[in-house]
């Protein structure tokens, strides 16, 4: 994966005959950038496991809080990998609420998601500060090169990589095995000193017993679709940060990561009787200088 000119993961073409994780997630959040096949699959999941919608919303709210928290710490540049389709509080709109000069590069390998992002940015973005590119998480060299080629980022300054609800979708390498851990090592190396990594990951570790049973069924449904998933433990998710220093409160359920910071524009009530029902571990880590 060190040769930028060789791409073992070429861009995929749009396949509207199968549900897309990005578009189904958009539907869970009440977005409109989805197709009938996505809504049908999403509705089937929600009918069986209604808690998945508030789980998705709590994850999105973690993104909002993490972005605002990082901007407050002086980070004004974001690479949002696996950003999906424009929905419910985009990274650049959340960041701009705090710092109007913020910069965001959206990255996704799903062509419909990228096309929607580009249309959104043409209408409401700034080409000097915002861009959307088609690249695959599994090829960090090529993704990084394309992000730099946008001209948006200044790598002399800290950058925050956002990997929000991405890595529980399996990332198979050429041999079919998940390669998230080794690829994450390379992203940590590419980040400038003083940069950050924000990550969230669906899990069955520590969830209430009744939800654990539901997660087995959810996994089966996604495994039978075009997007098989993988659950990691809290410790395995923490290891994706490497030696990065974790910001307070460390690894936490999405609902417990700075819950005092409520979105000024979107604050739905989440029907969780306990934090573990959020089912997603989340955290933000800092690369030492």
């Amino acid at each position: 994966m060190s040769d930028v000119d060789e791409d073992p993961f070429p861009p995929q073409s749009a396949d509207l005959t199968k549900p897309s994780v990005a578009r189904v997630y958009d539907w869970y959040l009440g977005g409109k950038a989805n197709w009938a096949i996505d809504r049908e699959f999403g509705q089937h999941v929600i009918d069986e496991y209604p808690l998945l919608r508030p789980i998705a919303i709590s994850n999105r709210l973690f993104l909002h809080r993490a972005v605002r928290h990082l901007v407050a710490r002086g980070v004004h540049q974001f690479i949002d990998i696996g950003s999906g389709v424009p929905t419910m509080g985009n990274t650049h709109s959340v960041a701009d609420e705090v710092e109007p000069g913020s910069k965001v590069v959206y990255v996704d390998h799903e062509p419909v998601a990228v096309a929607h992002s580009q249309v959104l940015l043409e209408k409401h973005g700034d080409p000097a500060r915002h861009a959307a590119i088609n690249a695959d998480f599994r090829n960090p060299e090529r993704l990084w090169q394309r992000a730099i080629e946008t001209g948006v980022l200044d790598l002399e300054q800290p950058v925050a990589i956002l990997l929000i609800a991405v890595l529980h979708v399996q990332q198979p390498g050429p041999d079919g095995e998940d390669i998230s851990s080794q690829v994450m090592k390379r992203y940590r190396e590419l980040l400038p000193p003083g940069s950050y990594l924000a990550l969230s990951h669906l899990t069955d570790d520590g969830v209430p017993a009744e939800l654990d049973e539901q997660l087995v069924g959810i996994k089966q449904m996604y495994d039978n679709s075009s997007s098989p998933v993988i659950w990691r433990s809290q410790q395995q998710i923490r290891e994706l940060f490497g030696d990065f220093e974790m910001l307070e409160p460390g690894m936490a359920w999405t609902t417990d990561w700075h819950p005092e910071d409520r979105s000024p524009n979107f604050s739905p009530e989440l029907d969780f009787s306990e934090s573990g029902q959020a089912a997603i571990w989340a955290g933000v880590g800092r690369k030492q200088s």
Side-chain angles (χ1 to χ4, degrees), residues 55-267:
I55 287 171
I57 293 173
S58 68
N59 179 71
R60 193 65 176 183
L61 293 177
F62 164 70
L63 167 66
H64 294 181
R65 296 197 300 275
V67 168
R68 289 196 297 270
H69 193 82
L70 287 169
V71 173
R73 293 178 69 96
V75 180
H76 300 152
Q77 303 185 106
F78 298 87
I79 303 178
D80 190 344
I81 301 177
S83 54
V85 295
T87 191
M88 204 189 90
N90 299 289
T91 298
H92 77 277
S93 60
V94 174
D96 279 354
E97 290 173 358
V98 186
E99 171 50 63
S102 62
K103 302 175 180 180
V104 180
V105 175
Y106 292 102
V107 184
D108 208 286
H109 73 291
E110 212 275 344
V112 174
V114 176
H116 275 287
S117 296
Q118 290 170 339
V119 169
L120 173 76
L121 295 177
E122 287 175 3
K123 293 181 178 179
H124 306 292
D126 177 349
R129 297 191 297 115
H130 308 133
I133 61 173
N134 191 324
D136 197 301
F137 162 82
R138 296 169 295 176
N139 191 339
E141 311 295 341
R142 182 175 289 269
L143 185 153
W144 204 255
Q145 180 189 59
R146 289 182 175 174
I148 293 171
E149 288 172 351
T150 65
V152 168
L153 304 173
D154 175 5
L155 295 185
E156 297 298 317
Q157 301 296 322
V159 178
I161 285 181
L162 308 176
L163 280 162
I164 308 301
V166 172
L167 297 183
H168 52 244
V169 179
Q170 289 191 28
Q171 307 291 330
D175 62 358
E177 295 296 318
D178 187 89
I179 58 173
S180 299
S181 295
Q182 53 263 50
V183 173
M184 283 301 302
K185 180 177 184 294
R186 183 59 183 141
Y187 282 113
R188 295 194 302 267
E189 293 170 347
L190 288 166
L191 277 169
S195 292
Y196 293 81
L197 167 64
L199 188 152
S200 69
H201 194 298
L202 196 62
T203 183
D204 59 359
D205 180 17
V207 302
E210 65 274 13
L211 182 55
D212 187 45
E213 296 175 2
Q214 292 189 39
L215 288 168
V216 172
I218 291 170
K219 186 177 189 309
Q220 290 175 344
M221 295 179 80
Y222 273 88
D223 287 352
N224 291 331
S225 73
S226 58
S227 303
V229 295
I230 180 171
W231 302 157
R232 289 181 172 88
S233 68
Q234 181 193 30
Q235 180 58 34
Q236 289 172 324
I237 298 167
R238 171 62 182 87
E239 290 170 358
L240 296 171
F241 288 92
D243 62 357
F244 279 27
E245 176 190 10
M246 299 301 293
L247 304 188
E248 292 293 335
M251 296 296 299
W253 298 114
T254 50
T255 50
D256 294 341
W257 200 90
H258 290 283
E260 74 282 356
D261 178 11
R262 294 180 65 82
S263 171
N265 297 321
F266 190 85
S267 299

Side-chain angles (χ1 to χ4, degrees), residues 267-281:
S267 299
E269 294 297 324
L270 298 174
D271 188 22
F272 294 144
S273 59
E274 55 183 295
S275 297
Q277 289 183 324
I280 295 181
W281 286 114

